[in-house]
Amino acid sequence: MSDLPEYVVRGGAQTFAPPILAKGTRMSTFALRADSDALVALVNKYLNGPGAAQTDLQFYPVGDYVFLAYAPMDHISVTDPVDSQKGWMKETDVAFWMLVVGGTEGANGFEPKMLAWFMPYVWVDVPTAMTTGREVYGFPKELAWLTLPKDDSDPLVFGLEAMVLPKFSPDTEIVRRPLISVSRQADSEPGLEKAFSGAEAVLAEVVRLLHGSAGKAKVGGLDFWLDLLRDLTHEEVPMIFLKEFRDAAEPHRACYQRLIRSASVVKAFHGAYPLLADYKVTLQNYDSHPFLKDFGFASTELSSALSFYVSFDFLLELGTEVK
């Protein structure tokens, strides 16, 4: 029996008990070159600083790329015995993903202990998805409004608007503004005819890209990268989050702050193919959303170095505190 108090379920509740099952996920992903020092600073801010009180692990970004993923999902539900009886929803996620490695300093130098995907920005188009993600796991989810292509010939992949503060000042009102858009720079997508053989082939392309960039992780060598590919092809996608809540009496401190690890387990793989056309990612840089500082991007208009599409079902498992 747990020593934790029972969670009080309110009328009009916006959070539901995981695990979370997502069916019909259709993810388009675009790799964007970032800056090593900026990624290290980002990982230090969100993982190493807060995590120092709970774990001896030190985290580093793997490679110099972040991945912008656009993922409509057809059917989201929970598998908890009680809340699974309450209903389901559709959802679209847009997120920046970056691969991190956690390890310790040993006699032979840095010893990797875990790999995980970290998401410093996430947007969703459903308030329930935002609330459950933030409160239960620590996803930094924001509410978004999406613009979709008119038809198959439209080069737009998606456009995203969110609530932003363009410039920090006492006179600035929070407003809804365009934030991200992705467009195909060709009339058609030739990759539609070149399907990947499976999830492992997709991840091999990701590993090849990361291995080819410098990064700041104290790892390298062929053995590590082969182990990385094996870890990422066991039909499990490990993730790490910073879950925290502001304290009511001391609002610049956290009354709860922990690194949380979870994993998305692939339950069905429906297919994948490379996106071989050129894709342009356009970002708007605001004080509230400082993409150029956080990622060290060279510009607000970027070309994708690697693009691919994957369709699958997954189960987001319960989370645990990182030790």
Side-chain angles (χ1 to χ4, degrees), residues 7 15 50 130-139 242-260 321:
Y7 185 84
T15 59
M130 179 182 72
T131 309
T132 298
R134 292 182 74 96
E135 291 189 12
V136 179
Y137 291 99
F139 284 96
L242 172 62
K243 178 178 178 178
E244 62 177 353
F245 294 98
R246 283 188 188 270
D247 186 74
E250 298 183 69
H252 290 286
R253 295 191 175 272
C255 59
Y256 177 89
Q257 187 180 71
R258 293 289 188 277
L259 301 186
I260 303 296
E321 293 185 354

Side-chain angles (χ1 to χ4, degrees), residues 58-62 99-103 110 112-116 217 219 224:
Q58 187 79 7
F59 293 90
Y60 295 92
V62 177
L99 188 64
V100 298
V101 56
F110 183 76
K113 303 291 186 181
M114 67 174 288
L115 286 157
V219 290
F224 170 76

Side-chain angles (χ1 to χ4, degrees), residues 25-34 39 42-43 47 61-73 91-100 115-124 139-141 158 180 203 206 209-210 232 236-241 262-266 291 294-295 297 306 308 310 312 314-316:
T25 301
R26 292 163 281 117
M27 179 181 286
S28 299
T29 302
F30 309 92
L32 306 176
R33 189 68 182 255
L39 296 185
L42 203 62
V43 170
L47 300 181
V62 177
D64 293 346
Y65 285 88
V66 297
F67 298 85
L68 177 61
Y70 165 67
M73 304 176 197
E91 174 188 340
T92 298
D93 282 23
V94 177
F96 283 104
W97 296 61
M98 52 188 293
L99 188 64
V100 298
L115 286 157
W117 290 97
F118 170 60
M119 286 165 277
Y121 287 95
V122 188
W123 296 268
V124 294
F139 284 96
K141 291 187 174 183
F158 74 91
I180 303 171
L203 290 165
V206 173
L209 180 73
L210 292 174
L232 294 180
E236 179 178 298
V237 180
M239 294 182 288
I240 190 169
F241 315 99
S262 183
S264 290
V265 179
V266 177
F291 297 138
D294 282 349
F295 298 118
F297 291 142
L306 172 68
F308 56 89
V310 185
F312 59 101
F314 70 89
L315 180 72
L316 179 59

Side-chain angles (χ1 to χ4, degrees), residues 69-236:
Y70 165 67
M73 304 176 197
D74 292 335
H75 192 284
I76 307 292
S77 61
V78 297
T79 61
D80 175 80
V82 175
D83 283 5
S84 64
Q85 305 304 306
K86 294 180 179 178
W88 65 278
M89 66 183 181
K90 294 182 179 180
E91 174 188 340
T92 298
D93 282 23
V94 177
F96 283 104
W97 296 61
M98 52 188 293
L99 188 64
V100 298
V101 56
T104 57
E105 292 293 343
N108 298 318
F110 183 76
E111 299 179 4
K113 303 291 186 181
M114 67 174 288
L115 286 157
W117 290 97
F118 170 60
M119 286 165 277
Y121 287 95
V122 188
W123 296 268
V124 294
D125 61 346
V126 180
T128 305
M130 179 182 72
T131 309
T132 298
R134 292 182 74 96
E135 291 189 12
V136 179
Y137 291 99
F139 284 96
K141 291 187 174 183
E142 304 175 47
L143 191 61
W145 292 264
L146 295 169
T147 302
L148 305 180
K150 300 180 181 66
D151 51 44
D152 291 343
S153 65
D154 191 340
L156 178 71
V157 179
F158 74 91
L160 182 149
E161 296 182 355
M163 302 302 292
V164 305
L165 288 164
K167 187 171 183 61
F168 288 155
S169 81
D171 299 322
T172 301
E173 179 183 5
I174 191 167
V175 290
R176 175 177 158 182
R177 292 282 175 82
L179 194 59
I180 303 171
S181 68
V182 178
S183 296
R184 183 181 67 248
Q185 304 297 291
D187 292 335
S188 61
E189 173 49 65
L192 291 169
E193 305 301 324
K194 300 180 182 297
F196 285 119
S197 57
E200 183 173 342
V202 180
L203 290 165
E205 292 297 317
V206 173
V207 169
R208 188 175 295 113
L209 180 73
L210 292 174
H211 187 205
S213 64
K216 292 289 184 178
K218 298 180 181 180
V219 290
L222 182 60
D223 288 343
F224 170 76
W225 291 99
L226 291 174
D227 288 342
L228 169 61
L229 179 58
R230 295 187 192 102
D231 287 344
L232 294 180
T233 54
H234 284 168
E235 298 185 339
E236 179 178 298

